[in-house]
Amino acid sequence: MNISVLGCGRWGSFLAWYQAAVLHNNVISWGPEGDYSYEVLKTTGKNEYVTLDKNITLTCDLEYALKKSDVIIISISSQGLRGFMQKVTKYPVSDKIFVLCMKGIEESTGKRLSQVMTESGISPDKIAVWVGPGHIQAFVQGIPNCMVIDSANEELKKMLADSFKSNLIRFYYGNDLIGTEIGAAAKNVLGIAAGVLDGSGYVSLKGPLMARGAYEVGKLIQALGGNFMSAYGLAHLGDYETTLFSEYSHNRRYGEMMAQGAKFDKLAEGVMTAKAMKKLGEGCGIELPITNAVYEACFCSHAFESGDGAKECLNIILKLFDRPSKSEFMI
């Protein structure tokens, strides 16, 4: 199989490595010329996570990457997808299969990423999403995990999951595209919350955060037309549990450093996703207290400016305890 991976940052470089070194596919890894991640791979043949396999062709020629492969995997910042697709659709791609390997919600519109793709002119039957638990640092050590591939096209998701499976990744067929995408994006928001608890010394609250967070996300999924129980699957709770205790999670680390009054300088998708989820919740009339607390910590607190991050972030979290008592399960 010929695969092109668009985006050669942390996750994109792993995906290219996985497709080439584990599945033995012919892979094109694309990155924009001048981009730091691309230039590192071009100059050294490796980055801090993986070494380019002999089956990987590195290029900055987008037309070449699109033309040479039938399956196009996209791994870029979720907020940049719409603008990026304007470049992609300048070329003949109507017959290509697109696999989204990002977790986010478009902040400006509240749209899921598959919706952004459809609005960019790609047929829903040609779109799949690949999400779920797993960190590169564990995968490259041979530590396996389980992931999900979902699509509006039943045949496509099964073909991709069956083609991409290995002893390193066991794939499941998703059966709720709304729940899969919202759940995957939301886990990054809750990952920030977990980091705030770590950074504030309230680690024992991560258990309740998992339980109440999944319930909150399930309510949002249901309000958007998906299955409430999807929040308890691999795309959300399974991935969130991995994030919750991981030293490798950017989102958990972002929250931890924010609680300490420091800034994390790498991409944490949960920041803008919190903003998008807050808007979605308000639009649906759904109360999302944990999401709103993360939004407040990210956008309304003075943790960075004051240097007293632990106090600022902790106060935001503890305000959740001022809410009135209620029944635990009211779907």
Side-chain angles (χ1 to χ4, degrees):
M1 185 179 292
N2 295 318
I3 306 284
S4 285
V5 180
L6 308 184
C8 53
R10 180 176 69 151
W11 193 241
S13 63
F14 163 73
L15 294 169
W17 173 86
Y18 176 76
Q19 290 288 338
V22 179
L23 299 182
H24 306 297
N25 288 321
N26 296 314
V27 178
I28 296 171
S29 175
W30 174 88
E33 188 173 14
D35 175 75
Y36 175 77
S37 297
Y38 170 77
E39 294 298 334
V40 167
L41 288 173
K42 179 182 177 181
T43 303
T44 67
K46 62 181 181 180
N47 58 24
E48 60 183 302
Y49 306 107
V50 297
T51 298
L52 288 178
D53 185 86
K54 59 182 175 60
N55 289 331
I56 298 175
T57 300
L58 183 67
T59 185
C60 61
D61 185 337
L62 182 58
E63 181 179 14
Y64 173 79
L66 293 168
K67 181 179 180 180
K68 290 295 184 179
S69 298
D70 297 321
V71 177
I72 312 296
I73 295 174
I74 302 180
S75 180
I76 63 171
S77 168
S78 61
Q79 301 304 320
L81 180 60
R82 189 179 295 271
F84 180 63
M85 287 306 298
Q86 292 177 355
K87 299 176 183 179
V88 168
T89 52
K90 290 179 180 179
Y91 304 104
V93 294
S94 60
D95 61 335
K96 306 295 183 180
I97 293 169
F98 287 90
V99 184
L100 298 174
C101 291
M102 309 114 76
K103 302 165 184 177
I105 301 167
E106 190 175 49
E107 182 274 326
S108 61
T109 65
K111 297 293 180 67
R112 292 178 284 110
L113 300 185
S114 66
Q115 292 176 303
V116 173
M117 293 289 289
T118 300
E119 292 179 358
S120 299
I122 307 301
S123 168
D125 285 341
K126 295 289 187 178
I127 302 167
V129 299
W130 171 356
V131 297
H135 288 290
I136 299 164
Q137 294 90 333
F139 278 134
V140 297
Q141 295 178 53
I143 301 171
N145 217 318
C146 301
M147 303 189 81
V148 177
I149 291 182
D150 211 340
S151 173
N153 183 336
E154 290 287 327
E155 293 182 3
L156 176 62
K157 70 184 174 188
K158 290 181 179 180
M159 182 276 288
L160 291 171
D162 291 345
S163 299
F164 290 173
K165 69 181 180 181
S166 71
N167 290 334
L168 195 59
I169 302 178
R170 173 180 170 82
F171 282 101
Y172 286 84
Y173 310 135
N175 57 10
D176 175 22
L177 187 57
I178 293 173
T180 296
E181 289 190 89
I182 295 296
K187 80 91 187 178
N188 285 330
V189 177
L190 296 175
I192 292 175
V196 169
L197 294 177
D198 284 337
S200 302
Y202 278 59
V203 179
S204 62
L205 275 177
K206 290 202 289 187
L209 177 65
M210 289 167 58
R212 297 310 301 168
Y215 179 77
E216 179 174 307
V217 172
K219 289 197 303 178
L220 180 60
I221 290 171
Q222 185 179 53
L224 294 171
N227 185 341
F228 175 88
M229 291 305 298
S230 292
Y232 293 88
L234 285 170
H236 179 67
L237 187 59
D239 199 357
Y240 177 42
E241 288 181 0
T242 299
T243 295
L244 194 74
F245 302 104
S246 172
E247 62 181 300
Y248 304 128
S249 168
H250 280 187
N251 291 282
R252 193 207 60 79
R253 184 61 176 149
Y254 183 96
E256 183 177 36
M257 291 185 67
M258 179 168 60
Q260 296 168 352
K263 288 189 176 182
F264 182 63
D265 60 1
K266 296 183 179 180
L267 178 65
E269 291 276 19
V271 175
M272 296 309 294
T273 301
K275 194 172 185 180
M277 284 180 62
K278 182 176 185 294
K279 289 181 181 178
L280 282 177
E282 292 169 349
C284 296
I286 299 296
E287 188 179 17
L288 304 175
I290 298 173
T291 298
N292 293 340
V294 172
Y295 170 82
E296 184 178 350
C298 291
F299 292 100
C300 305
S301 77
H302 302 285
F304 297 139
E305 291 80 2
S306 68
D308 194 5
K311 182 178 179 181
E312 283 280 342
C313 293
L314 184 57
N315 285 341
I316 291 169
I317 294 297
L318 292 182
K319 281 196 296 185
L320 292 171
F321 285 81
D322 293 332
R323 300 172 66 245
S325 298
K326 59 189 293 186
S327 295
E328 184 177 9
F329 298 112
M330 293 179 62
I331 299 176

